[in-house]
């Protein structure tokens, strides 16, 4: 059903697809659809989890605390996430072209937070302890800033404002870590 929904969402847009359309495309009844999902938004949340979750490929192994700066480690982690998402191009372009903040798609419960989000937070926390990252800003805000850079880069790519999402995410992370004023 998720694959059928993605095909329809890609072809007709999220708002142009009804539950009935998804069920028909998947070859199931509406009742069967409702056995798996309570609403169309749940399908969207599952697609988002597919993009950023374990199904996107093997989870990255966090580098040991002494292997590179926090900025380097976070950049490697985010670049890996971008590569995995681009490997699911149709899904990535669909999700990042939606006019919603992706944190709104995270459902409490079963899958909780995508692994890349948790890994970014862990790396930043290590960076705070090592004195490489500001300690006067709450960790959730630091984490959100990095994830906003990822989301912005992916959205710009999905909307075809940039060709290479990896180059773009590097620029966005550079702004996140270095700011906009010369060092």
């Amino acid at each position: 059903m998720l694959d059928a929904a993605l095909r329809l969402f890609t072809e007709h847009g999220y708002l142009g697809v009804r539950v009935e359309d998804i069920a028909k495309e998947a070859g199931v009844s509406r009742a069967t659809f409702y056995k798996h999902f309570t609403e169309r938004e749940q399908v969207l949340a599952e697609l988002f989890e597919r993009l950023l979750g374990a199904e996107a490929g093997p989870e990255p192994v966090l580098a040991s605390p002494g292997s590179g700066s926090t900025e380097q480690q976070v950049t490697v982690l985010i670049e890996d996430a971008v590569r995995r998402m681009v490997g699911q191009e149709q899904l990535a372009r669909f999700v990042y072209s939606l006019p919603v903040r992706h944190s709104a798609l995270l459902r409490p419960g079963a899958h909780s937070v995508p692994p890349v989000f948790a890994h970014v937070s862990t790396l930043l926390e290590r960076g705070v302890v090592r004195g490489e990252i500001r300690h006067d800003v709450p960790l959730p805000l630091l984490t959100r800033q990095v994830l906003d850079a990822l989301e912005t880069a992916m959205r710009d790519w999905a909307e075809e404002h940039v060709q290479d999402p990896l180059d773009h995410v590097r620029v966005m992370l550079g702004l996140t870590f270095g700011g906009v004023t010369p060092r």
Side-chain angles (χ1 to χ4, degrees), residues 51-74:
L51 182 63
L52 285 176
E55 290 185 39
E59 284 188 35
V61 176
L62 286 180
S64 62
S67 61
S69 70
T70 299
E71 181 177 355
Q72 291 167 333
Q73 291 179 38
V74 168

Side-chain angles (χ1 to χ4, degrees), residues 112-134:
S112 192
V113 175
V116 69
F117 290 23
H119 293 328
V120 164
S121 183
T122 298
L123 289 173
L124 291 173
E125 186 174 27
R126 287 180 188 171
V128 169
V129 170
R130 291 172 20 184
E132 294 178 357
I133 302 294
R134 295 176 60 167

Side-chain angles (χ1 to χ4, degrees), residues 82-149:
V82 168
R83 282 186 197 93
R84 291 189 298 157
M85 287 189 285
V86 170
Q88 302 178 79
E89 184 172 351
Q90 182 184 30
L91 177 56
R93 285 192 186 273
F94 165 69
V95 166
Y96 283 102
S97 64
L98 290 169
V100 298
R101 295 220 24 100
H102 297 108
S103 56
L105 298 176
L106 295 175
R107 296 178 298 141
H111 298 101
S112 192
V113 175
V116 69
F117 290 23
H119 293 328
V120 164
S121 183
T122 298
L123 289 173
L124 291 173
E125 186 174 27
R126 287 180 188 171
V128 169
V129 170
R130 291 172 20 184
E132 294 178 357
I133 302 294
R134 295 176 60 167
H135 62 79
D136 61 328
V137 178
L139 185 60
L141 182 57
L142 294 170
T143 302
R144 189 171 77 218
Q145 186 69 29
V146 170
L147 297 174
D148 284 350

Side-chain angles (χ1 to χ4, degrees), residues 2-111:
L2 291 174
D3 292 335
L6 178 58
R7 279 191 305 275
L8 290 171
F9 291 155
T10 300
E11 189 174 319
H12 303 287
Y14 178 70
L15 296 176
V17 177
R18 302 169 303 152
V19 167
E20 296 82 11
D21 302 326
I22 296 169
K24 181 179 178 183
E25 179 76 11
V28 300
S29 68
R30 280 182 56 173
T32 300
F33 175 91
Y34 285 117
K35 286 181 184 177
H36 298 277
F37 304 101
T38 58
E39 59 190 3
R40 186 178 57 151
E41 286 75 20
Q42 241 185 340
V43 172
L44 189 58
E46 287 282 335
L47 288 170
F48 183 63
E49 287 175 7
R50 178 187 280 185
L51 182 63
L52 285 176
E55 290 185 39
E59 284 188 35
V61 176
L62 286 180
S64 62
S67 61
S69 70
T70 299
E71 181 177 355
Q72 291 167 333
Q73 291 179 38
V74 168
T75 299
V76 166
L77 179 69
I78 296 296
E79 286 174 352
D80 180 61
V82 168
R83 282 186 197 93
R84 291 189 298 157
M85 287 189 285
V86 170
Q88 302 178 79
E89 184 172 351
Q90 182 184 30
L91 177 56
R93 285 192 186 273
F94 165 69
V95 166
Y96 283 102
S97 64
L98 290 169
V100 298
R101 295 220 24 100
H102 297 108
S103 56
L105 298 176
L106 295 175
R107 296 178 298 141
H111 298 101

